[in-house]
Structures are given as C-alpha cells and as structure tokens.
Amino acid sequence: RQTPVKEVVNSMVLNPGRVKYVGISMRSNLMYRDIFLSKYGKAALNELEEMSLYLPSLALCGEIYGEGGSSAASVTGRSEKVNKSILALKKTYFGSYQGRMQTREVGPGKVQLSLTPTLFWYDNTHICDTAHYRDFVFDPRLKMVARGGFVEDKLSPNILKAVERRGLTMGHSRYGCYILDDHSGVYFTGHLDGGNFLTKAEKDAFVNSNSSNLKKS
C-alpha cells in the first residue's frame, strides 16, 4: 500500500547516525512492541518506548495515513478469505499493546507515524543508508556479514549480543534499526499468496489453459 518512502528518507537525512535502517512493516512485525514485551518484559519495553521516535518529519496527512487514511483502506484481497484475514488482523492490532498505545498529538489533519526500535534486521522491504551497509554491515574488519551473505540471519544475533553487552539503548544505537508504523492496524507490505490471490474462476481458467497446452505438446 502507499508508503511514505520520501518522508522516511528525509527523516533519516535529518537524523544522521541515529536512524540508519527503517523496516517497512509486514504482517509478522506489525505488532513488534507486543513481540518485544513477550520476550523481554515490561521494564525492557518501557526503555524501548523511550527509544521510540516520533519525528516531526513523520507527522503526515491523516487523509492518507493512520486508521482512517486512504492507504490502509486500499488494502483489499482478491478473495473473501483474504479480506476477512485483513480485518481480523486489524481487530487484533487495536486490541494489542501496539494498537492501544497512546499516539502523539499533532496538528489538525495530521497523524503521527512512529519508528519503533527493533532488535531484528528484517531482510524484507526496508530503507537503509548505503554507507551503513558498505562501511558497517559489510565491513570485512567486523566480520559480521560476508558480501552476498544472508544479512538477516547473520546480523540479528549480533544486535542481540550488543544489547546484552552494552544495554538496550547503547547496544541498539550502533545498528540504528527501526520499524515504521502509521497506527492504522494494517501492514505496509506483504507477500502475495498465489493460492489466495486468484479467484476460483481465474484458477480454473489457468488450469484449463495449461492442460490444453500440455495436450498440444
């Protein structure tokens, strides 16, 4: 769905050395604060909340983002099953800690998007400073990730080790990774399930077409 990529990049430029990676939320990390709470407890979550960012550059148009925005409203599936799944997840979101958290007050017609610190480097759609990849993630002296390696698999354990050694705030600061949320209850990006994406009529047409081609060959 529509995502404020330009605004996120601008926020990174305005906060050099602080925001180095922004993950675009997906289904599995939409309620990241709840995931964090279940793993590390309330005291750690309180510190995570203090680390969360509510930047003026991410106070955006309420007609597009947030619960009543057109971006979230545009997310519909090609089947009733997918639509029910989206609505069920949205209901779960607003009953979760992430959904119940108080958002910051901004000007009329605006909604405040947040950046939540994450201890996991998601390889899904994200925005990252090129220099951070070149000079840190792939720095051969640090021996964290070899070029061509699976970054998510290699870097995430390093983030956890840094937090264990230096504490949550200091350990995380070196990696500077966050997840974007517009508090609409809908994730920004996701994988298409081919089985659910096609309607029954489209599936039948696809199967029949392939069957005909096989017979001809």
Side-chain angles (χ1 to χ4, degrees):
R1 66 184 175 97
Q2 184 173 348
T3 304
V5 173
K6 180 179 179 180
E7 291 84 352
V8 169
V9 172
N10 184 47
S11 298
M12 296 174 75
V13 171
L14 293 173
N15 293 271
R18 188 178 189 185
V19 182
K20 304 169 185 176
Y21 160 108
V22 175
I24 308 303
S25 66
M26 56 183 176
R27 187 184 187 95
S28 63
N29 62 22
L30 179 63
M31 291 170 275
Y32 183 79
R33 298 183 196 209
D34 294 80
I35 296 171
F36 187 92
L37 174 62
S38 67
K39 287 185 175 181
Y40 306 111
K42 183 62 176 176
L45 180 66
N46 289 339
E47 186 174 352
L48 188 83
E49 290 285 7
E50 293 176 1
M51 296 162 59
S52 297
L53 303 179
Y54 301 85
L55 304 174
S57 52
L58 288 176
L60 306 180
C61 178
E63 292 184 0
I64 301 175
Y65 300 107
E67 184 178 0
S70 59
S71 176
S74 69
V75 179
T76 56
R78 294 286 297 277
S79 70
E80 188 64 25
K81 180 180 178 181
V82 174
N83 288 333
K84 285 182 178 179
S85 175
I86 293 170
L87 290 174
L89 181 64
K90 189 172 183 178
K91 183 178 180 180
T92 300
Y93 176 91
F94 285 111
S96 70
Y97 182 86
Q98 180 101 15
R100 294 194 309 269
M101 59 167 285
Q102 184 177 359
T103 56
R104 305 297 174 90
E105 294 293 331
V106 289
K110 298 282 188 178
V111 62
Q112 180 66 63
L113 280 67
S114 65
L115 295 177
T116 301
T118 172
L119 303 185
F120 195 89
W121 186 286
Y122 295 93
D123 267 347
N124 71 298
T125 306
H126 63 273
I127 302 168
C128 184
D129 187 343
T130 304
H132 192 49
Y133 261 118
R134 183 186 62 239
D135 302 332
F136 179 67
V137 176
F138 293 128
D139 186 340
R141 295 170 299 177
L142 298 177
K143 298 180 179 179
M144 291 192 297
V145 184
R147 289 191 181 276
F150 188 26
V151 179
E152 178 179 298
D153 182 51
K154 300 295 184 182
L155 202 60
S156 298
N158 286 331
I159 300 175
L160 290 174
K161 289 177 183 177
V163 168
E164 289 171 358
R165 289 195 308 267
R166 307 180 66 200
L168 181 55
T169 301
M170 291 299 295
H172 173 269
S173 64
R174 193 180 188 194
Y175 298 85
C177 43
Y178 297 82
I179 295 176
L180 178 71
D181 188 8
D182 72 341
H183 306 283
S184 65
V186 181
Y187 44 87
F188 278 107
T189 185
H191 298 289
L192 287 176
D193 182 339
N196 287 329
F197 185 73
L198 297 178
T199 64
K200 186 177 185 306
E202 290 171 330
K203 289 179 189 177
D204 291 342
F206 178 77
V207 171
N208 292 335
S209 174
N210 281 319
S211 296
S212 299
N213 290 334
L214 287 172
K215 289 177 181 178
K216 291 178 182 178
S217 61

